[in-house]
Amino acid sequence: MVETLSIAVIGAPGVGKTSIIRQFIYNDFSEVYTPTRTRYVYRPSVILNGNMYDLKILDLCDTGYVASHGGPGVRNANAYILVYDICCVESFEYVKMIRQQIVEHRYGQHEVPILVVGNKRDLQRQRFMPRRAVSVLVKKTWKCGYVECSAKFNWHIILLFKELLGIAVARGMRQNHTSIRLQGALQRNRCTIM
Ligand code: GDP
Ligand code: MG
């Protein structure tokens, strides 16, 4: 039995959402910023603790901010990755607002897993707030997971997906038992063992 988990990746334009997803799935990174023009769904499969999961990762459009209603696929996601740039305080404010919206309007389930991700860790000399302070705020006050990563250097990328999946599985996110898609999963670069 393979479980499907849909994950919406949300954050201000330019924080590295697409880079994180592409590093995770393709081990690929580009210095050139290409704003995501249309929402895109990636469907990798992963193995965690011997179980296989089909992920549906939603990469949102970077040309506008996500409105309060979220848009298709956002509202009914099983889990959220909220990305900000550790050097950009506005991008953190944005994550704060989105988290508030998810909690208030949520969005179906109780206790939906939310992982806050501070990207661009390689530029940490320019960070606007010490890691410890953000981590305490996010974990203790918001009750969300917190991971810092660098999509550029592939640092903590697998870890962050593992962290989110771990929370989702622990909370019994058994959405839909789908048909087995082993064939797709075994294609090159499609299946990550975490
Ligand atoms: P998105 O708009 O959130 O999807 O952001 P992108 O993934 O398109 O990345 C925006 C820009 O930030 C691009 O120029 C990337 O090369 C750069 N970028 C993404 N992740 C990192 C990172 O971890 N470190 C650094 N230094 N740059 C990054
Ligand atoms: Mg993008």
Side-chain angles (χ1 to χ4, degrees):
M1 196 88 82
V2 179
E3 294 177 15
T4 299
L5 190 84
S6 67
I7 302 169
V9 182
I10 305 175
V15 294
K17 301 180 295 297
T18 304
S19 301
I20 288 171
I21 299 169
R22 295 191 64 87
Q23 185 62 273
F24 177 59
I25 301 175
Y26 305 118
N27 289 114
D28 181 34
F29 178 77
S30 165
E31 291 280 355
V32 182
Y33 180 34
T34 314
T36 308
R37 298 253 168 248
T38 51
R39 62 211 316 285
Y40 198 86
V41 180
Y42 295 83
R43 308 205 56 147
S45 298
V46 298
I47 293 174
L48 178 69
N49 300 330
N51 298 314
M52 180 177 281
Y53 302 88
D54 281 342
L55 305 185
K56 218 171 116 184
I57 304 176
L58 180 63
D59 188 12
L60 296 164
C61 189
D62 289 315
T63 48
Y65 285 77
V66 181
S68 55
H69 55 276
V74 174
R75 240 174 202 284
N76 51 14
N78 305 129
Y80 296 88
I81 294 178
L82 306 186
V83 185
Y84 79 99
D85 172 348
I86 63 163
C87 311
C88 173
V89 68
E90 291 81 14
S91 71
F92 187 68
E93 293 299 324
Y94 184 66
V95 156
K96 199 186 267 183
M97 181 196 69
I98 294 292
R99 183 237 153 217
Q100 194 65 35
Q101 284 181 7
I102 293 171
V103 172
E104 276 171 18
H105 302 286
R106 184 63 199 173
Y107 276 20
Q109 306 127 348
H110 226 48
E111 300 230 2
V112 63
I114 301 174
L115 181 71
V116 174
V117 171
N119 186 37
K120 308 199 185 181
R121 177 66 192 253
D122 53 291
L123 304 176
Q124 84 144 332
R125 272 192 223 125
Q126 294 143 54
R127 66 184 311 147
F128 64 84
M129 194 166 157
R131 192 195 63 82
R132 177 93 193 120
V134 191
S135 174
V136 167
L137 171 68
V138 170
K139 288 184 177 168
K140 298 261 160 61
T141 313
W142 298 4
K143 309 263 186 281
C144 298
Y146 185 68
V147 171
E148 291 197 350
C149 72
S150 168
K152 181 171 178 173
F153 292 100
N154 199 0
W155 189 74
H156 281 182
I157 297 297
I158 289 182
L159 177 89
L160 77 89
F161 283 95
K162 192 173 170 178
E163 183 94 5
L164 183 70
L165 194 54
I167 302 173
V169 170
R171 292 189 189 171
M173 292 279 135
R174 284 183 204 91
Q175 270 298 298
N176 31 23
H177 293 266
T178 58
S179 57
I180 295 179
R181 290 177 51 241
L182 269 176
Q183 204 160 355
L186 294 176
Q187 281 168 14
R188 215 171 136 255
N189 288 340
R190 291 280 316 276
C191 186
T192 302
I193 296 173
M194 311 204 292

